[in-house]
Amino acid sequence: MSDTHQPSKETLLEIYRIATLIKQADDRFIELIKAGQIASPYYSPRGQELIPAAISVNLKPSDYVVTTYRGIHDQLAKGIPLKPFVAELLGRATGTCKGKGGPMHITHVASGLPVTTGIVGAGLPIANGLAWAAQLNGTDQVTVVNFGDGASNIGAFHEALNLAAVWKLPVIFVCQNNRYAEHTHYSLGTGAATIADRAIGYGIPGVEVDGNDAVQMWRAARDAVARARAGEGPTLIEANTFRFRGHLLGDDSHYIPKEEMAEAVAADPVPRMRAWLIGQGHASDSQLAAIEAANVAAFEEAVEFGLASPYPDVSELDKDVVAEGAHA
Amino acid sequence: MSDTHQPSKETLLEIYRIATLIKQADDRFIELIKAGQIASPYYSPRGQELIPAAISVNLKPSDYVVTTYRGIHDQLAKGIPLKPFVAELLGRATGTCKGKGGPMHITHVASGLPVTTGIVGAGLPIANGLAWAAQLNGTDQVTVVNFGDGASNIGAFHEALNLAAVWKLPVIFVCQNNRYAEHTHYSLGTGAATIADRAIGYGIPGVEVDGNDAVQMWRAARDAVARARAGEGPTLIEANTFRFRGHLLGDDSHYIPKEEMAEAVAADPVPRMRAWLIGQGHASDSQLAAIEAANVAAFEEAVEFGLASPYPDVSELDKDVVAEGAHA
Amino acid sequence: MSTTAQKKINTAQAINFALHDAMELDRSVVVLGEDIADDQGGGVFKCTAGLSAKYGTGRVKSTPIAEQAIVGAAVGGALAGLRPVAEIMLMNFTTVAMDQIVNHAAKLRFMTGGQTHVPLVIRTTTGAGFGTGGQHADYLEAWFAHTAGLKVVAPATPADAYGLLLSCIFDDDPCIFIENLPLYFQPGDAPVRGERIPLGKAKVVQEGSDITLVSYSRTLHEVVAAAKGLAKEGISAEVIDLRSIAPLDFDTVRASAAKTGRVVVAHEAQVDFGVGAEIAARLHKDLFGTLKAPVARVGAARSPVPFSKPLETAFVPTRERILAAIRETLD
Amino acid sequence: MSTTAQKKINTAQAINFALHDAMELDRSVVVLGEDIADDQGGGVFKCTAGLSAKYGTGRVKSTPIAEQAIVGAAVGGALAGLRPVAEIMLMNFTTVAMDQIVNHAAKLRFMTGGQTHVPLVIRTTTGAGFGTGGQHADYLEAWFAHTAGLKVVAPATPADAYGLLLSCIFDDDPCIFIENLPLYFQPGDAPVRGERIPLGKAKVVQEGSDITLVSYSRTLHEVVAAAKGLAKEGISAEVIDLRSIAPLDFDTVRASAAKTGRVVVAHEAQVDFGVGAEIAARLHKDLFGTLKAPVARVGAARSPVPFSKPLETAFVPTRERILAAIRETLD
Ligand SMILES: Cc1ncc(C[n+]2csc(CCOP(=O)(O)OP(=O)(O)O)c2C)c(N)n1
Ligand SMILES: Cc1ncc(C[n+]2csc(CCOP(=O)(O)OP(=O)(O)O)c2C)c(N)n1
Ligand SMILES: [Mg+2]
Ligand SMILES: [Mg+2]
């Protein structure tokens, strides 16, 4: 509350660069899907861009980020290279996972993205293991694991937070609370007044922040990262946000009251941050436009790369099931 | 704290009758096991007698109690008939489960004991279902589910408390916190300062009581039962207690500091309650001795019945797998 | 057969009808699962649409994302006299609830010496084809069939889905009811209202004399298509839809195999340690020395379900792979 | 063979030795599970005794009762370069962690296109005989063997337990290592220190010419005893210990079956949809027309594990039942 520490201008611009890249990527993917280029359910992160953008500027390349089916924002923020990223969404052999993983399971180990799961809650216990390895090896690596409000109701959440607390693991649990789990509103699925309240049950700090406010989000991440690096254990961050495009593409969000949606979209965090940056004198319109244009150019190059890439050969089915040379 | 409501003398004597029956039954079972009459691991509830005794006087026969492998105290308190109870521990055809369930799985539907599980945490989600049926059918049945401190760290605990909260189920979660989960001390397995703290994460009342104090325990149970019957939803009770005889028979409790054990045994709740009843003038020594003698007589009759009962026929293996007449 | 049998409906609708009819017939039928009430859209695949509007949110409950809590509530409800139908959105998510299913639902009748029983249905869907990748399309029926106390049912048509689901709901033991995602949208003959299809009875979809083809769920349609192709070549295939995997209607399979002497079993699950193995083992035992060829098995590739379209297409037991196995068996 | 092979140790000790040797050899080997550190007694069956004292509670961690968290931590650790050995106290408790095992450990190598792999071992024990009833003694190996990406190993002797566990720990993919509770206490030849037994290789325990008996884990000992009895009658049985169920050393089984023409498979798991089915299906296919009798299968009764002693005794595949199957096969 009384924390007035501001990120530097460079940091703010980097947050904006990432957030706008996410937004642009999302728009472009939806075009590709509508054009029949991606044959898969797609879970848009529109509306949640600032959360990973403000976290990632606190992370090192060697830190880990674990995420879910709704994860392109987390992946882009962590710095996944665009070409193999787009190629993976397109199911191409040049994708990060050779096309075998797909949109729900984009991983890129070299970028610190070792696991992306389609199973609600399952990333949390795995994040503990990554953090345990870091703790044991004496590296200062931090593991950030992202999940939704709905995921906070599944058993794996509870087991993971408790274990992390008892083992004092350098892990940060980031609940991206977009108020809905598929079609179910927070209040119908979750007994807790706030997800952050649940931290009490593990004896760890629980922090509720406006995930759509870059500065607040940045501060919460900064503190949690510092705590983790100092060996003081895990933090639970509840980042309040909203999901603009339904659970998955094609979902018309009929179960969301029109006013709730309208209000959220009116407060769209990316344009809001843009206006704020200019208003605060952190950047000029043309500076930001240049960032946006650079993003678009890079992303288009990646789309071209992806579309031009071959599909994996059917023989790939037999590969990577177990170590080469071993029996499946 | 300021609650000075006292159970009636009759209620106190009934609590004592049950508690002492549990203690006697436990002693007798251990004799039977040592004599080779029961071929099974045995999980003694010695030290935890007052918890179910003080709960059960608040329950109706139609209420449900769900418990675990460490459950004979809960079953006796709920009023399981002694003969088929003992016979089940002895694996006889006359047992409540025809000898198929055994010590870890004693159930007796007619006594409101529909499920006893050997899987840590698994009783909690099932208790919700029993409570849901009562809620739907408009009966005022309450479901009490017992589990240990260790169980509060498993996913099923979390999922069950949250669902019960959201559905406002008439269920009472009783954590019998005996400080150890097998050989692991509370502090090594549990992040929470108290298990009761975890209630906050579900938006329900969490009550910590001295489970070895009959009056405190009785009050906590009374309130939770009233709340459940009134349709106000679940309560989490943390009943602090201790386990005198290790995790299972044969365990020498080497992992428990000697002083901790000595202190707990010195405060043995059953003799303590006995002394208190006499000291408070609620009963005379001879009155209590009569209760004890009646217990012993009834229990011995049950042991005789059990020992004289036949083992189930091997053909029972094919029965009760699915409904009679259906294919397994 | 009533005239409704002329109409076409799809499997998602058939399931919806069965749930409506069961709930109307018996107050003890209750439904629970993620997003299943109408305020949440009546289920992600709309199978439960209209139920909460008609029967109330007491009997039709959307749940938190908590599969252990869902199946646990169903088990407890069943112990207390309800007939819960729990939806586990996708079959891979049953992995979260295996303890409740296997250690509890399947066993409580036996472990209580018959004092209790657990009349619950777990509806779940699965199947490759929609680009969902490695964690959303597994067929795990062999696990459940391996577990004493569970029934396992996997319809291939809307009418079967309707009639088998009714039977599962009114069965007194736990049933795993396996739906298939692509089949939800495929039309078929409408069922006769209220008509239950007995569990543990296979259906001879097509009689034939040269070879027996055994399948279930979506793969059955590939098998039928393969059989059509064979017919043009003058090969007469008998096609059996198991419908129930446990209990297995082995009598029907054996009788057909005894007649044709050649058998191919096809399913979308992994071949190794799959349902085909059980059928092959039994056939070779009961018909020892009389089969004209070994029982052939066709299933998915030995890998997790892949994302990329060409891989996903090759992963499932395609018509071509089924045909190849048939030809080898006929040789 | 070194002279240590003369000494007798039991399987609990053998496992303990393997863990000690692996931890000494490689810093990346870590161990976790309920009560496994020395302050908690070194494991309920003492298999991990002395590890935390020697290697510290960083590498040897007692955990909360939270099987999803245990396996999850092992998966994550494995992704980050550790070789975690997770103890799931009893095999029935793997049901709580099936999502981590099946949807994650087994699949991540494939789903990441080979970027990652998950070199973890899940040690777990099971088996009837100690009156633990319906939820503590199931054999679930067929589930895991049905899952692409998992290895499944089930030793029958202390020396095998030692050598196979070492191989599992240093294997680059996830292994399910199945121990047997009664066998923990049965002495056998001590292993040769450091000697690994390759995964996927069966052991011909005894050569013979009249019939092939295939088994693993505790049931192997019943089979060996049965074979001894047969020898007195002049019947020569070849006994094969699979040791690994996945990958299955089918070559060894087939070669033996080709020689004897008769096969009985025995295991403590359920017969239906069990490991025996896969072996029977493959044998009949590969040796079509050459076997002298159908492959027989012996397993547990078709029920949950019962408590009462006479039922428990009859539940498991007894020597008598194995002998009966052998005689029928020899007929
Ligand atoms: C164990 C499991 N149960 C159910 C699902 C189906 N499912 C996928 S996403 C989702 C909603 C998750 O909601 P939330 O955690 O709030 O994340 P969000 O999608 O809003 O980002 C559900 C139920 C799943 N993938 N895994
Ligand atoms: C899912 C599961 N994991 C592990 C076990 C083994 N186990 C049985 S009792 C127990 C300890 C339980 O401790 P607590 O919940 O405190 O209950 P207490 O025994 O003290 O009454 C454990 C780990 C089990 N039965 N189920
Ligand atoms: Mg959400
Ligand atoms: Mg305890």
Side-chain angles (χ1 to χ4, degrees):
Chain A
M1 319 269 148
S2 57
D3 185 348
T4 55
H5 183 191
Q6 286 281 346
S8 68
K9 197 178 101 177
E10 290 65 42
T11 299
L12 286 169
L13 290 186
E14 176 63 1
I15 293 174
Y16 181 73
R17 183 192 67 78
I18 295 167
T20 197
L21 174 64
I22 295 165
K23 183 174 175 300
Q24 291 163 333
D26 184 72
D27 286 338
R28 192 67 179 96
F29 281 139
I30 291 174
E31 281 174 27
L32 287 168
I33 292 164
K34 291 198 169 147
Q37 298 284 9
I38 300 177
S40 165
Y42 175 68
Y43 305 84
S44 165
R46 271 292 287 121
Q48 308 181 195
E49 294 89 340
L50 289 191
I51 299 169
I55 292 172
S56 65
V57 294
N58 287 287
L59 298 179
K60 303 182 187 179
S62 60
D63 291 329
Y64 295 120
V65 169
V66 176
T67 185
T68 71
Y69 52 92
R70 191 182 319 285
I72 70 153
H73 54 330
D74 300 318
Q75 292 140 8
L76 286 167
K78 190 66 175 59
I80 194 169
L82 298 181
K83 286 181 182 174
F85 168 67
V86 174
E88 187 60 32
L89 272 114
L90 293 165
R92 305 306 167 106
T94 54
T96 54
C97 310
K98 302 184 191 162
K100 294 177 176 182
M104 278 207 258
H105 306 297
I106 306 273
T107 57
H108 193 247
V109 172
S111 304
L113 293 160
V115 62
T116 298
T117 181
I119 305 294
V120 166
L124 287 78
I126 298 176
N128 282 343
L130 295 164
W132 178 30
Q135 188 185 56
L136 260 183
N137 293 333
T139 70
D140 69 348
Q141 283 164 292
V142 161
T143 299
V144 173
V145 52
N146 297 282
F147 53 96
D149 45 304
S152 79
N153 297 317
I154 203 163
F157 164 93
H158 177 68
E159 295 192 10
L161 269 81
N162 185 59
L163 186 93
V166 173
W167 290 11
K168 277 196 167 252
L169 293 175
V171 58
I172 303 170
F173 298 100
V174 179
C175 180
Q176 302 191 13
N177 183 350
N178 59 18
R179 299 192 224 167
Y180 286 86
E182 293 208 340
H183 306 172
T184 300
H185 186 261
Y186 180 93
S187 61
L188 285 166
T190 315
T194 72
I195 306 285
D197 272 356
R198 292 189 163 162
I200 298 163
Y202 313 107
I204 63 170
V207 185
E208 190 188 356
V209 287
D210 180 352
N212 290 356
D213 180 310
V215 176
Q216 271 199 47
M217 189 65 228
W218 175 84
R219 285 188 192 133
R222 177 205 58 195
D223 291 351
V225 168
R227 213 177 110 76
R229 288 214 208 283
E232 290 163 17
T235 301
L236 170 62
I237 297 177
E238 176 179 12
N240 288 313
T241 185
F242 205 74
R243 194 191 64 180
F244 290 179
R245 290 183 155 153
H247 176 58
L248 49 64
L249 204 72
D251 170 1
D252 65 3
S253 300
H254 62 270
Y255 47 87
I256 302 183
K258 285 213 172 30
E259 316 75 60
E260 188 181 4
M261 179 64 96
E263 205 180 298
V265 171
D268 190 339
V270 185
R272 201 177 57 175
M273 186 182 183
R274 193 181 200 285
W276 180 84
L277 285 171
I278 296 171
Q280 297 284 311
H282 293 304
S284 66
D285 177 85
S286 64
Q287 250 181 307
L288 299 181
I291 290 174
E292 291 150 13
N295 279 345
V296 168
F299 203 78
E300 274 318 300
E301 221 183 294
V303 170
E304 265 168 49
F305 171 83
L307 289 174
S309 291
Y311 284 99
D313 190 84
V314 166
S315 65
E316 279 294 332
L317 271 178
D318 299 333
K319 293 183 190 144
D320 304 320
V321 179
V322 292
E324 218 174 334
H327 293 270
Chain B
M1 318 272 151
S2 59
D3 184 349
T4 56
H5 183 189
Q6 285 282 345
S8 69
K9 196 178 102 176
E10 290 65 42
T11 300
L12 286 169
L13 290 184
E14 176 60 2
I15 294 173
Y16 182 73
R17 183 191 68 77
I18 295 166
T20 196
L21 175 63
I22 294 165
K23 183 173 175 301
Q24 293 163 333
D26 184 71
D27 286 337
R28 192 67 178 95
F29 280 139
I30 290 174
E31 281 175 28
L32 288 167
I33 291 164
K34 293 199 168 148
Q37 297 284 7
I38 300 178
S40 165
Y42 175 68
Y43 305 84
S44 165
R46 271 292 285 121
Q48 309 182 194
E49 295 90 340
L50 289 190
I51 300 168
I55 293 172
S56 66
V57 294
N58 288 287
L59 298 179
K60 302 183 187 180
S62 60
D63 292 328
Y64 296 119
V65 169
V66 176
T67 185
T68 70
Y69 52 91
R70 190 182 320 283
I72 71 153
H73 54 328
D74 299 319
Q75 292 141 8
L76 286 167
K78 191 65 176 59
I80 194 169
L82 298 180
K83 286 180 181 175
F85 168 67
V86 173
E88 187 60 31
L89 272 115
L90 294 164
R92 307 305 169 109
T94 54
T96 54
C97 309
K98 302 182 191 163
K100 294 177 177 182
M104 278 208 259
H105 307 296
I106 306 272
T107 58
H108 193 246
V109 173
S111 304
L113 292 159
V115 62
T116 298
T117 181
I119 306 293
V120 166
L124 287 79
I126 299 177
N128 281 343
L130 296 163
W132 177 30
Q135 187 187 56
L136 260 183
N137 294 332
T139 70
D140 69 349
Q141 282 164 292
V142 161
T143 299
V144 174
V145 52
N146 297 282
F147 54 95
D149 44 305
S152 80
N153 297 318
I154 203 164
F157 164 93
H158 178 68
E159 295 193 9
L161 268 82
N162 185 58
L163 187 94
V166 173
W167 289 12
K168 276 194 167 253
L169 294 175
V171 59
I172 302 170
F173 298 100
V174 179
C175 179
Q176 302 190 12
N177 183 351
N178 59 18
R179 298 192 225 167
Y180 285 86
E182 295 206 342
H183 306 173
T184 300
H185 186 261
Y186 180 93
S187 60
L188 284 167
T190 315
T194 74
I195 306 284
D197 271 356
R198 292 188 163 163
I200 298 163
Y202 313 108
I204 63 170
V207 185
E208 190 188 356
V209 287
D210 180 351
N212 289 357
D213 180 310
V215 175
Q216 270 199 48
M217 189 65 227
W218 174 84
R219 285 185 193 136
R222 177 205 59 193
D223 291 350
V225 169
R227 213 177 111 75
R229 288 215 208 283
E232 290 163 16
T235 301
L236 170 61
I237 297 177
E238 176 179 12
N240 289 314
T241 185
F242 204 76
R243 197 191 63 180
F244 291 0
R245 291 184 155 153
H247 177 58
L248 47 65
L249 203 73
D251 170 2
D252 64 4
S253 300
H254 61 271
Y255 48 87
I256 302 183
K258 285 212 170 34
E259 316 74 59
E260 188 181 5
M261 178 64 96
E263 205 180 298
V265 171
D268 191 340
V270 184
R272 199 175 59 172
M273 186 183 184
R274 193 181 200 285
W276 180 82
L277 285 171
I278 296 171
Q280 296 285 309
H282 292 305
S284 65
D285 178 86
S286 63
Q287 251 180 307
L288 298 182
I291 289 175
E292 290 152 12
N295 277 346
V296 168
F299 203 79
E300 274 318 301
E301 223 182 289
V303 170
E304 266 169 47
F305 170 83
L307 289 173
S309 291
Y311 284 99
D313 191 85
V314 166
S315 66
E316 279 293 332
L317 272 179
D318 299 333
K319 293 182 190 145
D320 304 319
V321 180
V322 293
E324 219 175 333
H327 293 269
Chain C
M1 284 280 164
S2 105
T3 49
T4 52
Q6 316 306 315
K7 263 182 52 191
K8 297 279 176 186
I9 64 168
N10 67 32
T11 293
Q13 292 169 311
I15 286 162
N16 187 253
F17 292 161
L19 292 170
H20 270 281
D21 290 354
M23 292 200 76
E24 185 162 313
L25 202 66
D26 186 338
R27 268 190 49 78
S28 65
V29 178
V30 294
V31 179
L32 73 167
E34 293 157 16
D35 295 320
I36 66 150
D38 289 317
D39 281 348
Q40 288 75 49
V44 284
F45 307 115
K46 305 272 178 239
C47 292
T48 54
L51 294 174
S52 72
K54 191 146 179 211
Y55 301 103
T57 51
R59 285 176 65 196
V60 181
K61 296 193 89 72
S62 283
T63 66
I65 309 175
E67 282 77 10
Q68 297 191 64
I70 294 169
V71 179
V75 171
L79 291 175
L82 301 178
R83 293 191 173 279
V85 183
E87 178 174 305
I88 298 295
M89 199 180 289
L90 290 171
M91 192 161 209
N92 281 80
F93 312 155
T94 62
T95 55
V96 176
M98 288 304 280
D99 167 52
Q100 286 294 337
I101 300 172
V102 170
N103 289 330
H104 294 89
K107 293 177 175 173
L108 290 179
R109 180 191 281 273
F110 184 85
M111 285 171 52
T112 63
Q115 285 177 90
T116 65
H117 61 281
V118 185
L120 79 81
V121 182
I122 295 176
R123 289 182 43 242
T124 190
T125 189
T126 193
F130 285 175
T132 51
Q135 298 176 325
H136 282 60
D138 283 342
Y139 267 89
L140 306 171
E141 64 277 15
W143 292 3
F144 298 106
H146 189 45
T147 306
L150 292 180
K151 296 197 169 77
V152 184
V153 177
T157 68
D160 279 6
Y162 175 89
L164 289 166
L165 182 52
L166 279 185
S167 288
C168 285
I169 293 172
F170 293 106
D171 192 85
D172 281 340
D173 289 297
C175 298
I176 310 295
F177 190 84
I178 305 169
E179 302 164 15
N180 173 277
L181 192 48
L183 282 186
Y184 276 157
F185 313 104
Q186 184 173 309
D189 290 339
V192 180
R193 182 113 191 247
E195 206 165 276
R196 299 184 197 174
I197 295 173
L199 304 181
K201 291 271 165 259
K203 175 164 74 176
V204 178
V205 173
Q206 165 183 318
E207 293 192 9
S209 51
D210 296 329
I211 190 164
T212 299
L213 309 179
V214 179
S215 191
Y216 51 90
S217 193
R218 188 168 83 104
T219 307
L220 178 81
H221 297 279
E222 297 299 330
V223 165
V224 168
K228 280 223 181 79
L230 293 174
K232 292 196 195 113
E233 303 172 27
I235 298 163
S236 159
E238 182 142 306
V239 179
I240 296 177
D241 179 359
L242 286 181
R243 300 204 288 203
S244 301
I245 293 146
L248 187 65
D249 182 2
F250 189 64
D251 289 349
T252 297
V253 175
R254 180 180 34 217
S256 177
K259 180 172 72 175
T260 64
R262 301 177 199 272
V263 182
V264 175
V265 187
H267 50 59
E268 194 172 316
Q270 296 286 308
V271 171
D272 287 2
F273 304 90
V275 169
E278 180 65 29
I279 293 173
R282 290 203 204 177
L283 282 174
H284 282 292
K285 179 160 179 76
D286 281 18
L287 302 176
F288 186 71
T290 71
L291 290 176
K292 297 176 194 140
V295 175
R297 297 181 284 159
V298 188
R302 184 75 180 161
S303 77
V305 184
F307 164 65
S308 185
K309 199 72 203 165
L311 300 189
E312 192 190 33
T313 304
F315 171 82
V316 298
T318 54
R319 202 166 309 174
E320 293 67 45
R321 286 210 277 127
I322 293 166
L323 270 173
I326 293 171
R327 290 195 205 286
E328 206 187 313
T329 305
L330 285 169
D331 253 8
Chain D
M1 283 280 164
S2 107
T3 49
T4 55
Q6 318 304 319
K7 264 183 52 191
K8 297 278 174 186
I9 64 168
N10 67 31
T11 293
Q13 292 169 309
I15 286 162
N16 187 253
F17 291 162
L19 292 171
H20 270 281
D21 290 351
M23 292 198 77
E24 186 161 311
L25 201 66
D26 186 339
R27 268 190 49 78
S28 66
V29 177
V30 293
V31 178
L32 73 168
E34 293 157 16
D35 295 319
I36 65 150
D38 290 317
D39 281 347
Q40 287 75 49
V44 285
F45 307 114
K46 307 271 178 239
C47 293
T48 53
L51 295 174
S52 72
K54 189 142 180 214
Y55 302 102
T57 51
R59 286 176 65 195
V60 182
K61 295 192 90 72
S62 283
T63 66
I65 309 175
E67 281 77 9
Q68 296 191 66
I70 294 169
V71 180
V75 171
L79 290 175
L82 302 178
R83 294 191 172 278
V85 183
E87 177 174 307
I88 298 295
M89 197 181 289
L90 291 170
M91 192 162 208
N92 281 79
F93 312 155
T94 62
T95 56
V96 176
M98 288 303 279
D99 167 52
Q100 285 295 338
I101 301 172
V102 170
N103 289 330
H104 295 88
K107 292 176 175 173
L108 289 180
R109 180 189 281 272
F110 185 85
M111 285 171 54
T112 62
Q115 286 177 90
T116 65
H117 61 282
V118 186
L120 79 81
V121 182
I122 295 176
R123 290 181 42 242
T124 190
T125 189
T126 193
F130 284 175
T132 52
Q135 298 175 327
H136 282 60
D138 283 342
Y139 267 89
L140 305 172
E141 65 276 16
W143 292 3
F144 298 105
H146 188 45
T147 305
L150 292 181
K151 295 197 169 77
V152 184
V153 176
T157 68
D160 279 6
Y162 175 88
L164 290 167
L165 182 52
L166 279 185
S167 288
C168 285
I169 293 172
F170 294 105
D171 192 86
D172 280 341
D173 288 298
C175 299
I176 310 295
F177 190 85
I178 305 170
E179 302 164 15
N180 172 276
L181 193 46
L183 283 186
Y184 276 156
F185 312 104
Q186 186 174 306
D189 291 339
V192 179
R193 183 114 190 247
E195 205 164 278
R196 299 184 196 175
I197 296 173
L199 305 181
K201 291 273 167 258
K203 175 164 73 178
V204 179
V205 173
Q206 162 182 322
E207 292 194 11
S209 51
D210 296 329
I211 190 164
T212 299
L213 309 179
V214 180
S215 191
Y216 52 91
S217 194
R218 189 167 82 103
T219 307
L220 179 81
H221 297 279
E222 297 300 329
V223 165
V224 168
K228 281 225 180 74
L230 292 174
K232 292 195 195 113
E233 302 172 29
I235 298 164
S236 159
E238 181 142 309
V239 179
I240 296 176
D241 179 358
L242 287 180
R243 301 203 287 200
S244 300
I245 293 146
L248 189 65
D249 181 2
F250 189 64
D251 289 348
T252 297
V253 175
R254 181 181 34 218
S256 177
K259 177 173 73 175
T260 65
R262 301 176 199 274
V263 181
V264 175
V265 187
H267 51 56
E268 192 171 317
Q270 297 285 308
V271 171
D272 288 3
F273 304 89
V275 168
E278 180 64 29
I279 294 172
R282 290 201 203 178
L283 283 174
H284 282 293
K285 182 163 177 71
D286 280 18
L287 302 176
F288 186 71
T290 71
L291 291 175
K292 297 175 194 144
V295 175
R297 295 182 284 158
V298 188
R302 185 71 180 163
S303 77
V305 184
F307 165 65
S308 186
K309 199 71 204 166
L311 300 188
E312 193 191 33
T313 303
F315 172 82
V316 298
T318 53
R319 202 166 309 174
E320 293 68 46
R321 287 209 277 126
I322 294 166
L323 271 173
I326 293 171
R327 291 195 203 289
E328 208 187 310
T329 305
L330 285 168
D331 253 8

